[in-house]
Amino acid sequence: MTNQLFKNAKEALINATKDAKHPFRYFTMATIGINKSPRLRTVVLREVKEDLTLKIFTDKRSKKVTHIKENNNVCLLFFDHNKMLQLKVDGKAYLEQDEKTIEETWKQIRIGSKKDYLTTQEPGAKIKDPEMIEYLDTSNHFAIVHIIPSKIEYLELKKEKHIRALFSKEENTWEGSFIVP
């Protein structure tokens, strides 16, 4: 039965990249800050590969990039309120290094969404007025982050009995077992 739960989890993640209203589209990503404290933020799931490598976009000046460079262990939390399904994903994050891949992906982003990577000041910088943000004309700070999962914890909250399973990646195979909710 764990095979079916894994299949459900994988399907939900893939569907989140196809449906902008899917509950897993926006999820919480945790990194470890420079001072060793956890840092959380909401990010957008952009792609899920067959091997479950996940992709997000970010500004390369963001704190999450600094954190990933210092310690690439990340934890992701997805929650579907309608299905009462939670996925917790542990993995390693890395930045895309291939400039051609970054450039090709940049070309596919909608013009309105590009502004998030065009600010003259880095994310989190203090400003006097949100209407006064300045943007670059000829360059950008776009980056792609890939997350390679090593563990996926599946928790389905049901009225009768909750179902919880842990999937661990061994070599290139996912092994699953039920755990106490």
Side-chain angles (χ1 to χ4, degrees):
M1 186 170 156
T2 58
N3 287 343
Q4 185 59 48
L5 297 181
F6 186 78
K7 183 180 174 189
N8 293 349
K10 186 175 182 178
E11 222 170 71
L13 289 168
I14 290 169
N15 287 340
T17 64
K18 298 174 184 174
D19 177 5
K21 293 184 181 183
H22 193 285
F24 285 1
R25 177 75 168 180
Y26 296 89
F27 63 97
T28 302
M29 177 180 180
T31 57
I32 300 168
I34 295 170
N35 61 358
K36 306 292 185 228
S37 65
R39 304 304 240 176
L40 302 169
R41 81 273 294 151
T42 301
V43 293
V44 181
L45 185 60
R46 302 295 181 169
E47 183 181 334
V48 178
K49 292 186 178 178
E50 187 60 32
D51 69 355
L52 287 180
T53 298
L54 310 170
K55 182 192 291 185
I56 65 168
F57 299 158
T58 192
D59 185 307
K60 60 182 146 192
R61 303 167 298 171
S62 70
K63 294 286 188 220
K64 78 176 86 53
V65 170
T66 303
H67 298 164
I68 288 168
K69 286 178 180 178
E70 292 286 321
N71 181 339
N72 70 340
N73 291 302
V74 297
C75 185
L76 316 175
L77 188 64
F78 299 85
F79 187 67
D80 182 335
H81 186 269
N82 293 326
K83 293 183 179 178
M84 297 304 287
L85 173 62
Q86 173 183 286
L87 297 182
K88 184 175 86 65
V89 178
D90 292 326
K92 302 271 187 196
Y94 68 94
L95 294 166
E96 177 62 58
Q97 298 298 315
D98 182 47
E99 289 299 325
K100 186 175 180 180
T101 299
I102 295 167
E103 189 178 311
E104 288 301 314
T105 305
W106 176 252
K107 289 177 185 175
Q108 296 171 17
I109 296 174
R110 292 178 303 149
I111 292 172
S113 297
K114 287 184 176 184
K115 70 177 178 8
D116 296 335
Y117 313 103
L118 297 172
T119 60
T120 56
Q121 291 180 284
E122 68 186 40
K126 289 185 180 182
I127 55 175
K128 290 183 180 180
D129 183 349
E131 299 298 321
M132 302 299 286
I133 296 174
E134 295 176 15
Y135 296 94
L136 303 167
D137 291 330
T138 58
S139 63
N140 66 73
H141 298 286
F142 177 70
I144 300 169
V145 177
H146 301 279
I147 299 130
I148 301 171
S150 56
K151 291 185 181 178
I152 299 175
E153 191 174 302
Y154 179 104
L155 175 61
E156 193 173 342
L157 302 170
K158 295 183 172 263
K159 288 184 181 181
E160 298 296 318
K161 288 184 181 178
H162 304 323
I163 298 172
R164 188 174 175 199
L166 179 64
F167 301 95
S168 298
K169 193 173 185 181
E170 306 294 332
E171 306 280 324
N172 289 326
T173 307
W174 286 93
E175 298 292 329
S177 59
F178 288 106
I179 56 177
V180 177

